Amino acid sequence: MDLKQNQITVGQLLADPRSRSVLQKKLPAVLKHPLTGAANTVTLEQLLAFAGAYLPQKKIDEVMEALQKA
């Protein structure tokens, strides 16, 4: 999947069945979080900067690799 140099938005990722499936498998709690809908305009780059405080880099790398393959 073209992640547009990490400028793709969370809304675009969630709208695509392939990337939504990746997020659902790798980060199931994210889709259940009450603020997920409010994050539609957040870019992947912004999300990664935020996620780094909460997730190990290995997990972030796994998700990114899976999204790129989707």
Side-chain angles (χ1 to χ4, degrees), residues 30-49:
V30 170
L31 296 181
K32 295 177 184 174
H33 195 281
L35 292 178
T36 299
N40 281 337
T41 60
V42 172
T43 66
L44 180 57
E45 182 176 77
Q46 293 168 322
L47 182 64
L48 292 173

